[in-house]
Amino acid sequence: MVEIAEEKSVPALPPWRLQDFEIGKPLGRGKFGKVYLAREKQSKYIVALKVIFKEQLAKYRLHHQLRREIEIQSSLSHPNVLRLFGWFHDEHRIFLILEYAGRGELFKELRRSEYLSEKRAATYIASLAKALAYCHEKHVIHRDIKPENLLLDLEGRLKIADFGWSVQSRSKRLTMCGTLDYLAPEMVTNKAHDYTVDNWTLGILCYEFLYGVPPFEAESQEDTFKRIVEIDLSFPPTAHVSAEAKDLICRLLVKDSFKRLSLEKILDHPWIIRNADPSGTCIEKGIESK
Ligand code: AMP
């Protein structure tokens, strides 16, 4: 006798609706709408709800970028990548249900206190290297790692946010804000590039964490461009940055992308081993000031 397995139909989950959430204080304002603290009513789970106005999306023709952000970010699950739990929409708005990063933008803290301690900087660089290694394994190149895209959770763990906007936001930054600071030489000169552009950006961020300004900052976009292409790198004399930290930066800010230190080797670098907190959290209150 042949047994026929009963076919069980899996009930589809009902889509999320705004009524499923209690909305709290605004957390910030982005280019296309606001982000609010929110709590899912049944589970009491705290999230950040990002509201994007459809009109704005249409105006800037960003449907594809948003679709890509949703597809990429919801497929990634790593302690240092901001989770995207789901999305829903109503007549005028699209809502992204995001992991809540309770301490907000890392760079707001950096601007307040000028520079980070080596311990904290190394912890963040190690977290970024781990997150990017995970992303590269999944064939995702962020290409747009920049200060505004780095958030901190309540324990001080770094989270990479904003996937999928890279092309659009990069071109906007070039034309509107004039910020080339985080881009690799092959990107500013419009050459073909690959995942090693993210490794370059780690060198830029490591410098900025330790000195408070990105290494190729200049008065004009043209001057920044020139400094990046020429790798015009110098280290201001300060007591708080070790030779090992400078060594790591020099091994990342290399024009030939093949010669940049790999993400695995960053994690093995003596400065990282000596300074990075293996838990990835920074529990000290605030950031070191001068
Ligand atoms: P965005 O629209 O992504 O540029 O976000 C605007 C601002 O909202 C950011 O600068 C953050 O300060 C805040 N924000 C965005 N996402 C989150 C989040 N998941 N958790 C906490 N704050 C956030």
Side-chain angles (χ1 to χ4, degrees), residues 66-86:
L66 181 61
R67 191 177 293 273
R68 190 164 60 181
E69 175 176 18
I70 290 172
E71 277 170 8
I72 292 177
Q73 206 171 340
S74 57
S75 74
L76 299 175
S77 175
H78 185 277
N80 300 110
V81 176
L82 194 81
R83 290 292 308 271
L84 173 63
F85 297 116

Side-chain angles (χ1 to χ4, degrees), residues 6-274:
E6 206 180 301
E7 221 178 79
K8 280 191 186 151
S9 63
V10 182
L13 287 169
W16 292 107
R17 299 165 311 161
L18 192 53
Q19 297 92 298
D20 294 322
F21 298 88
E22 288 162 349
I23 308 298
K25 64 172 182 180
L27 295 171
R29 181 189 284 274
K31 278 173 240 120
F32 307 105
K34 279 189 180 169
V35 182
Y36 295 90
L37 186 65
R39 184 161 66 173
E40 200 274 312
K41 284 179 185 165
Q42 269 195 359
S43 64
K44 308 268 186 244
Y45 198 83
I46 300 285
V47 294
L49 210 56
K50 188 173 190 170
V51 185
I52 297 162
F53 287 93
K54 289 182 178 176
E55 207 186 337
Q56 293 289 306
L57 268 192
K59 187 171 161 193
Y60 294 101
R61 299 167 195 259
L62 289 175
H63 290 102
H64 290 298
Q65 278 87 343
L66 181 61
R67 191 177 293 273
R68 190 164 60 181
E69 175 176 18
I70 290 172
E71 277 170 8
I72 292 177
Q73 206 171 340
S74 57
S75 74
L76 299 175
S77 175
H78 185 277
N80 300 110
V81 176
L82 194 81
R83 290 292 308 271
L84 173 63
F85 297 116
W87 68 281
F88 56 96
H89 65 117
D90 64 14
E91 199 187 338
H92 299 294
R93 299 164 296 184
I94 294 168
F95 300 87
L96 303 187
I97 311 167
L98 293 163
E99 178 181 358
Y100 172 51
R103 284 173 61 178
E105 277 182 33
L106 164 62
F107 269 69
K108 278 195 188 142
E109 293 197 17
L110 178 58
R111 291 287 169 260
R112 269 202 294 272
S113 30
E114 292 195 31
Y115 61 80
L116 308 185
S117 66
E118 291 207 308
K119 187 174 179 316
R120 190 177 286 245
T123 303
Y124 293 149
I125 293 297
S127 301
L128 278 163
K130 285 180 198 161
L132 291 171
Y134 168 82
C135 292
H136 292 174
E137 225 172 73
K138 296 197 148 228
H139 308 290
V140 173
I141 313 172
H142 193 290
R143 294 192 302 183
D144 199 26
I145 303 283
K146 61 189 178 191
E148 305 93 300
N149 288 344
L150 304 179
L151 301 177
L152 295 174
D153 72 8
L154 284 170
E155 291 177 299
R157 190 178 289 106
L158 180 142
K159 306 273 175 180
I160 303 180
D162 266 342
F163 281 79
W165 292 94
S166 50
V167 175
Q168 185 64 30
S169 63
R170 193 173 66 247
S171 56
K172 273 180 89 71
R173 284 179 74 81
L174 295 185
T175 51
M176 292 170 65
C177 324
T179 305
L180 296 169
D181 284 291
Y182 304 93
L183 301 184
E186 62 271 29
M187 286 184 90
V188 294
T189 52
N190 268 327
K191 296 209 177 93
H193 58 266
D194 62 10
Y195 57 89
T196 54
V197 295
D198 286 342
N199 304 38
W200 169 276
T201 310
L202 282 194
I204 301 282
L205 286 173
C206 189
Y207 188 107
E208 188 166 3
F209 289 159
L210 293 169
Y211 291 97
V213 286
F216 305 119
E217 194 177 62
E219 288 281 307
S220 69
Q221 195 172 287
E222 288 73 33
D223 289 345
T224 303
F225 175 91
K226 210 164 155 250
R227 293 194 65 197
I228 293 172
V229 175
E230 290 171 2
I231 324 274
D232 175 15
L233 179 65
S234 62
F235 297 101
T238 48
H240 71 277
V241 181
S242 65
E244 277 176 342
K246 292 177 204 167
D247 178 79
L248 175 62
I249 293 167
C250 289
R251 287 173 193 273
L252 288 167
L253 298 181
V254 175
K255 190 159 189 172
D256 182 348
S257 62
F258 292 108
K259 293 191 179 148
R260 285 174 205 150
L261 210 59
S262 69
L263 297 170
E264 292 70 28
K265 289 208 171 121
I266 293 174
L267 292 170
D268 282 341
H269 190 277
W271 181 71
I272 293 288
I273 294 194
R274 198 183 309 281

